[in-house]
Amino acid sequence: MNRTNDIDLNRFDEMFSRYIKGQMTDDEEVTFKQLLKENDTFRNKAIATARLVQAMDQVGRDHDKETVQSIRDISLSDAEKISAKVCGTSPTPPRILTLRRFVLSFSAAASILLCVFGGYKYYKYNQVTSLGSEYLTYFQASEFSRGEADDIGNKLKGFYSNIETKSDLDTTIDDLEIMWAESRSDSYNDYTEYMPEIGWLLANAYLRNNNKSHSLEVLDVLINEYPDGTAMGDKARELKHKIEEL
């Protein structure tokens, strides 16, 4: 069944934008993916848009001329991979006439592209912050305490809650950075025994704040301190690998 007559291209642009922003329900996603499988026109447009999005991500705010050149330099196989990643499909070899028209009408399509690019950036942002939420839970706050009168452990529990809910995140990160530096001091102090917990919280707080590079720096310290086979070392390595794949 070909649904081109039922859904026009403007409607498809809106659907594509909602999909990449993660705003569709499960049922809507199923319908959208099926539409891409069934319809060459929409599938080719998704590929063309995905190529433009990747070019925008590569060149940032460069001029349109440079962006168009970047698009032309992307191979067809790369376009297919991008489309498969973005749209969740494995498209058949497309007819790229749609892309050529899309590029030639770059300025006219700018508003649509910016909407989709914004969705793509949100998608990447959501991937990073979701990792922080997922991996935070591998070491529960209840494990941080060294006893009922443990002030530092209780403070870390509060930070855990802030990171989990993204509440007062900047202040939480500032406090954790101070504690992280103290915990790695050459002189033994109140934070020394809590170094792994502080580091784990800080690495995931950075992710919740969409800061991959700082998170990787903390994870590298934990990886150097904790060898393979340890819970902290294994999870730090696993998380680092996932961040580097984004």
Side-chain angles (χ1 to χ4, degrees):
M1 176 181 176
N2 194 307
R3 306 186 189 185
T4 308
N5 295 331
D6 298 328
I7 303 175
D8 63 23
L9 288 176
N10 287 335
R11 171 63 175 155
F12 175 79
D13 288 331
E14 187 272 335
M15 292 173 67
F16 186 84
S17 178
R18 288 184 62 237
Y19 173 76
I20 203 170
K21 290 179 182 178
Q23 295 175 345
M24 282 187 169
T25 65
D26 291 342
D27 289 342
E28 287 174 330
E29 283 194 17
V30 170
T31 300
F32 179 72
K33 291 177 181 178
Q34 188 61 36
L35 177 65
L36 291 176
K37 291 179 182 178
E38 296 175 355
N39 190 286
D40 289 343
T41 300
F42 292 145
R43 184 168 60 249
N44 290 345
K45 186 169 178 62
I47 292 170
T49 305
R51 292 180 74 173
L52 285 167
V53 167
Q54 190 198 44
M56 290 285 285
D57 194 42
Q58 289 174 339
V59 301
R61 299 179 180 273
D62 289 347
H63 296 299
D64 286 2
K65 181 178 179 181
E66 294 172 335
T67 302
V68 171
Q69 187 59 50
S70 294
I71 295 165
R72 290 171 177 163
D73 290 341
I74 299 172
S75 68
L76 177 58
S77 60
D78 286 341
E80 291 172 347
K81 292 176 183 177
I82 298 162
S83 178
K85 183 175 181 180
V86 173
C87 303
T89 64
S90 297
T92 56
R95 294 183 291 276
I96 299 300
L97 289 177
T98 303
L99 174 62
R100 224 173 261 283
R101 296 192 190 100
F102 206 100
V103 171
L104 291 175
S105 61
F106 183 83
S107 296
S111 60
I112 294 173
L113 176 60
L114 288 174
C115 179
V116 174
F117 182 62
Y120 176 75
K121 298 298 284 185
Y122 173 78
Y123 169 73
K124 299 294 287 184
Y125 167 86
N126 191 54
Q127 282 190 309
V128 174
T129 57
S130 294
L131 270 183
S133 176
E134 175 188 352
Y135 274 81
L136 177 69
T137 61
Y138 280 106
F139 298 100
Q140 292 290 323
S142 59
E143 301 174 8
F144 294 172
S145 179
R146 305 295 198 265
E148 291 184 5
D150 181 9
D151 292 337
I152 297 175
N154 292 331
K155 191 172 184 178
L156 293 178
K157 289 180 183 179
F159 291 154
Y160 182 103
S161 177
N162 290 348
I163 297 166
E164 187 176 39
T165 60
K166 296 182 74 172
S167 302
D168 202 18
L169 199 53
D170 289 338
T171 301
T172 297
I173 289 174
D174 288 342
D175 288 344
L176 282 170
E177 286 175 338
I178 294 171
M179 296 171 70
W180 177 236
E182 288 290 331
S183 71
R184 295 183 296 123
S185 171
D186 292 336
S187 302
Y188 184 89
N189 57 69
D190 292 340
Y191 300 111
T192 303
E193 293 183 5
Y194 296 87
M195 189 274 281
E197 290 92 343
I198 294 169
W200 189 251
L201 287 175
L202 183 57
N204 285 283
Y206 281 138
L207 289 179
R208 296 291 278 163
N209 208 34
N210 196 33
N211 190 331
K212 294 192 296 182
S213 60
H214 284 183
S215 180
L216 287 171
E217 290 174 3
V218 176
L219 290 173
D220 281 338
V221 174
L222 292 175
I223 289 169
N224 288 332
E225 289 288 333
Y226 297 93
D228 289 332
T230 61
M232 181 61 71
D234 289 349
K235 282 303 172 185
R237 287 172 177 81
E238 182 180 307
L239 179 54
K240 179 182 178 180
H241 178 69
K242 290 196 173 184
I243 294 172
E244 291 174 338
E245 284 186 327
L246 293 179

